[in-house]
Amino acid sequence: MRITIASRAGLVGALLLAGLGAGVSPAAASNPAGVASLGSAAFTKGTSAPISIASLAECAVEGPTSNSSGVVTRTGITFGGGTTTCTTTVVDPENDVTTTKSEAKGQNFELSALVSSSGPRIKIRSYSVSCTATQTSTNASWTYGGATGLGTLPSPVPVGYVKPITKSNGTLLAEAIFNEQTLPGDGSIGLTMLRIKFAPASNITGEVVIGRTACSPTP
């Protein structure tokens, strides 16, 4: 079974091919046949009402096979909308052999929740994640462009790379975890492009997910 994961940060970037390593969940349950979503959020700032955005425009190869979302705005966060598709292609009709591709494409994400704590305003103009599968291989990839507030990332971006988000004095407000992978060992892949986990100094609890996909080898 071949597993390939590629990543590209920024408009132009390097390719990363990764196997098991840091940031991978080794004992996770099997990933689904094929799913994708634009992202989600669940966090609470101080004594304010909780902010909750369920998985946006989620698709699955079992259905719905396509989905979309307009702009979704809550206090401190905006997902600018996008589309998802989860398709199955028959490559050998006589033997019912198929391939799948699950993909999410989002735009104009903004997180302003950290600004009042002297943190950055995080923006991502465009991003995409995808997961493709055959009977013998799976492949997941991600890319984003037009990002501000996240600083400079290494090229290539390692598996599970953690970028601290801080005040100007170095106080940790959140961690931005890139290229987060779930490889349970059965040939399936789960990939989260970016997960932002808030730290205590931000006065926020919870997290934000931007770009999520997963797939398993086809039957």
Side-chain angles (χ1 to χ4, degrees):
M1 175 61 61
R2 187 176 84 248
I3 298 175
T4 303
I5 295 186
S7 65
R8 190 171 74 240
L11 294 176
V12 178
L15 187 69
L16 171 66
L17 302 182
L20 291 171
V24 176
S25 301
S30 297
N31 288 296
V35 296
S37 75
L38 299 174
S40 60
F43 63 88
T44 302
K45 187 171 185 176
T47 58
S48 300
I51 301 298
S52 180
I53 300 175
S55 186
L56 286 172
E58 189 167 75
C59 70
V61 294
E62 297 93 345
T65 57
S66 64
N67 213 333
S68 65
S69 173
V71 177
V72 176
T73 298
R74 302 285 187 272
T75 302
I77 188 171
T78 295
F79 282 90
T83 60
T84 59
T85 55
C86 293
T87 57
T88 300
T89 302
V90 179
V91 294
D92 181 355
E94 292 185 1
N95 295 294
D96 287 327
V97 178
T98 62
T99 62
T100 65
K101 181 175 183 179
S102 304
E103 184 174 36
K105 295 182 177 181
Q107 62 189 12
N108 299 329
F109 171 83
E110 180 173 336
L111 180 69
S112 60
L114 293 171
V115 174
S116 59
S117 299
S118 300
R121 184 182 302 272
I122 296 171
K123 294 184 177 182
I124 301 175
R125 186 181 65 243
S126 62
Y127 61 94
S128 66
V129 292
S130 68
C131 196
T132 59
T134 69
Q135 285 185 319
T136 59
S137 66
T138 52
N139 179 299
S141 63
W142 61 276
T143 183
Y144 74 81
T148 57
L150 288 167
T152 302
L153 301 181
S155 181
V157 179
V159 179
Y161 177 74
V162 179
K163 175 71 175 181
I165 300 173
T166 66
K167 296 183 181 182
S168 59
N169 65 4
T171 300
L172 181 68
L173 297 176
E175 291 183 333
I177 307 168
F178 290 87
N179 198 21
E180 188 177 61
Q181 302 173 16
T182 303
L183 304 175
D186 59 358
S188 66
I189 296 177
L191 172 66
T192 299
M193 184 190 82
L194 174 58
R195 184 187 305 272
I196 298 174
K197 300 179 71 173
F198 297 103
S202 69
N203 197 33
I204 305 173
T205 57
E207 65 177 23
V208 175
V209 170
I210 304 119
R212 169 71 183 157
T213 188
C215 61
S216 296
T218 58

